[in-house]
Amino acid sequence: MEDYLWIAQVYRLNGDSDAAIAQLRKGIELAPNRPDAWILLIQLLQAEERTEEAEEAIAEAKDSIVKNKSALALGQIYEINSEFDEAEVCYQQAYD
């Protein structure tokens, strides 16, 4: 998984967003419960204005991230997606 994240970052820094997204998706297939991979994928999709794909990824992330990590990760994901009310609820859940 770490290799996919690293390679995705290299592609992203070199301006190849499609390759970065492909690497992140491969990594997520191997470890779907890793919040950092989902966060990076959704950040990249939003940066590329691929809103529909970002929304689909958010739905997948909700089902995939381990419950004890999900509130904080989903808060970050919602914040990236400019869904601040939902982010606030998740952050509050993580805090409680």
Side-chain angles (χ1 to χ4, degrees):
M1 175 54 157
E2 298 301 323
D3 291 342
Y4 288 105
L5 290 174
W6 184 81
I7 292 168
Q9 290 285 24
V10 170
Y11 279 126
R12 183 180 187 184
L13 291 172
N14 286 313
D16 192 347
S17 297
D18 290 334
I21 289 168
Q23 290 299 309
L24 288 168
R25 290 192 187 279
K26 286 179 186 177
I28 287 170
E29 277 184 38
L30 295 175
N33 62 340
R34 291 276 305 264
D36 53 342
W38 286 106
I39 291 167
L40 187 57
L41 174 63
I42 293 164
Q43 280 178 327
L44 189 51
L45 290 170
Q46 282 294 4
E48 293 296 311
E49 298 180 4
R50 293 164 68 166
T51 307
E52 189 172 310
E53 287 179 70
E55 292 291 337
E56 291 170 7
I58 290 168
E60 291 175 46
K62 281 183 188 179
D63 293 335
S64 298
I65 298 172
V66 177
K67 292 295 180 195
N68 65 348
K69 295 181 180 179
S70 65
L72 182 59
L74 288 174
Q76 291 175 302
I77 288 168
Y78 282 128
E79 189 173 345
I80 292 164
N81 208 41
S82 299
E83 297 178 48
F84 300 112
D85 292 337
E86 290 86 351
E88 183 178 3
V89 170
C90 290
Y91 288 142
Q92 189 60 46
Q93 289 173 352
Y95 180 73
D96 293 337

